[in-house]
Amino acid sequence: MISIIIPVYNTEAYLSRCIQSVLNSYYKDFELILINDGSTDNSLAICQKFAARDSRIIVIDQDNQGVSVARNRGLEVCKGEWVVFVDSDDYISPDFFKIVAKREHTRWDLLIFDQQSALEREKASGGTASYHGDMKEIVKKMLTFSPLFPGRNAALPSPCGKAYRREIIFQNRLRFPVGIKIGEDQIFNISYLLSINDCLYRQKPVYFFQARLNSATHICHPDFLEDSCRFEQRLKALLEESTFPALEIPFYTHALADMSYVLVRGIFSPYSPRSYRENCRLCQQMEKDPIFQKALMFNRVNKRPLIKLLLFFFKMHWYRIVNLICKAGYVYLYRVKRM
């Protein structure tokens, strides 16, 4: 059996499509766990409507506690051999679970598939690639934002578009971290990868995400700096439990990218309510963070030229130039590329 866990929060416009895509699956031996995380729209009613029609659907209603708590609640009650996570504004292909349940996949600890924008859905090849032994190579790719294969989108940091072994999750007591607002997906995935020996990657898009300009990714994050510092500390502690020296450069490469995101989406966002002087004080605060401070030492070998340039001006305290670059970067990322 496959357990599908879907945290739900104020997505009434997309929720029916999401649930129906699961029910349309060619493979029927599954349970669908819907966790309503304190929605204030009609999301709970939609969940209950579907549950009344199909006994495979379980609805859990809780106060708003965040996506990590919601997913963890689903893990507490799930019973499937495989666990699949889906976001409530996305949808899946009807053959996703049928592929997961293939007999030859029983030997793998993790199945990874491609994701694709709902606006760019197309037919794709069904190639496969296996990974054995050192899962640190996949962690390295995740930290450096590198694809498993050029031109493919396995979305490594995301828990979506993947199938996890429930037994491994429980044997290693893996859960989504509570108390951090960003990066919780990466913490869970890295923890899982460092607990297994092999995985299978299928070059086939089975998961389709809804890009929304008003979603949490596309607004100003006034507390982004604090949240990012907390996340990087948690990530470093996790890697130190394994072999940190082998992942030191990828980790600080990730921290440099995180700094650029903080500058663009948090400090100098066009929608920031703070004054320019207040933003400059936040820049000074970020530079004093031990992890970000050390990360800047690796900027000279940074292979992402735009981030390298931005952080060069940041390190020189040329904040007006940093401000201009961030404003232009925000427009490019969120209006032109619709990311």
Side-chain angles (χ1 to χ4, degrees):
M1 188 172 69
I2 299 174
S3 296
I4 303 96
I5 297 174
I6 303 181
V8 178
Y9 180 71
N10 289 352
T11 50
E12 62 178 351
Y14 306 97
L15 183 55
S16 293
R17 181 186 65 177
C18 176
I19 296 175
Q20 194 61 55
S21 74
V22 174
L23 298 181
N24 289 343
S25 173
Y26 299 149
Y27 187 79
K28 303 301 182 182
D29 188 11
F30 63 81
E31 61 176 1
L32 173 55
I33 304 171
L34 302 170
I35 303 95
N36 179 58
D37 189 38
S39 296
T40 57
D41 62 2
N42 292 319
S43 293
L44 177 58
I46 293 172
C47 293
Q48 292 171 334
K49 179 186 70 174
F50 276 97
R53 302 174 184 172
D54 197 312
S55 60
R56 294 173 297 179
I57 299 177
I58 301 168
V59 178
I60 298 173
D61 186 28
Q62 65 180 33
D63 294 336
N64 180 248
Q65 300 175 66
V67 65
S68 288
V69 174
R71 286 176 178 151
N72 290 340
R73 184 73 181 95
L75 287 174
E76 291 172 7
V77 301
C78 71
K79 300 176 181 178
E81 296 172 79
W82 290 102
V83 176
V84 171
F85 297 99
V86 179
D87 286 344
S88 59
D89 50 355
D90 301 333
Y91 63 98
I92 62 172
S93 66
D95 59 347
F96 183 9
F97 302 152
K98 186 176 181 180
I99 297 172
V100 170
K102 284 188 174 182
R103 185 180 299 273
E104 60 264 31
H105 289 164
T106 58
R107 57 166 294 194
W108 302 103
D109 296 329
L110 173 67
L111 303 179
I112 303 175
F113 299 84
D114 280 337
Q115 299 187 25
Q116 201 166 60
S117 167
L119 300 176
E120 301 173 347
R121 183 173 180 177
E122 61 183 31
K123 294 182 180 179
S125 61
T128 60
S130 60
Y131 292 84
H132 303 273
D134 192 2
M135 292 293 100
K136 294 185 183 68
E137 285 303 311
I138 300 183
V139 174
K140 181 178 178 180
K141 288 178 180 290
M142 187 188 304
L143 293 174
T144 57
F145 308 94
S146 303
L148 279 176
F149 285 94
R152 311 301 304 190
N153 182 26
L156 290 177
S158 171
C160 302
K162 299 173 179 64
Y164 303 84
R165 287 284 184 191
R166 177 181 176 274
E167 182 181 14
I168 292 174
I169 292 174
F170 279 81
Q171 282 180 346
N172 294 278
R173 300 179 180 179
L174 302 180
R175 293 294 186 272
F176 289 86
V178 177
I180 62 174
K181 299 180 181 178
I182 60 172
E184 64 275 7
D185 296 348
Q186 292 187 59
I187 297 294
F188 178 84
N189 276 334
I190 291 175
S191 298
Y192 191 92
L193 284 166
L194 295 178
S195 301
I196 63 176
N197 295 317
D198 51 38
C199 69
L200 182 71
Y201 168 49
R202 297 205 56 158
Q203 299 177 13
K204 175 181 173 57
V206 297
Y207 189 94
F208 303 95
F209 58 88
Q210 183 69 41
R212 294 191 292 145
L213 292 180
N214 62 343
S215 69
T217 308
H218 306 118
I219 61 176
C220 175
H221 295 260
D223 300 320
F224 207 171
L225 175 56
E226 181 181 346
D227 294 337
S228 294
C229 291
R230 188 178 296 114
F231 163 64
E232 292 293 345
Q233 291 167 2
R234 185 73 174 267
L235 177 58
K236 187 172 185 289
L238 172 62
L239 296 177
E240 287 176 337
E241 294 175 5
S242 181
T243 310
F244 183 70
L247 296 170
E248 183 179 25
I249 293 179
F251 169 74
Y252 285 114
T253 299
H254 185 279
L256 290 171
D258 206 3
M259 291 178 72
S260 71
Y261 298 153
V262 171
L263 290 169
V264 174
R265 290 167 49 188
I267 295 178
F268 289 113
S269 165
Y271 302 102
S272 172
R274 296 179 298 266
S275 68
Y276 171 75
R277 181 168 297 185
E278 290 173 324
N279 288 336
C280 290
R281 282 198 291 266
L282 281 178
C283 288
Q284 294 168 353
Q285 179 182 334
M286 180 164 68
E287 194 173 7
K288 294 178 182 178
D289 179 82
I291 291 178
F292 290 150
Q293 193 174 64
K294 186 168 183 178
L296 285 172
M297 298 170 59
F298 291 82
N299 194 44
R300 57 186 175 81
V301 294
N302 194 341
K303 295 182 179 180
R304 305 180 74 181
L306 293 179
I307 294 178
K308 184 176 182 178
L309 180 65
L310 173 65
L311 294 180
F312 168 78
F313 290 124
F314 170 82
K315 188 175 182 180
M316 297 297 293
H317 301 164
W318 295 349
Y319 297 142
R320 292 196 181 277
I321 298 179
V322 172
N323 182 30
L324 291 174
I325 294 175
C326 289
K327 294 292 194 298
Y330 191 97
V331 170
Y332 177 72
L333 288 176
Y334 304 130
R335 296 181 187 174
V336 178
K337 295 189 71 174
R338 293 292 193 268
M339 292 179 63

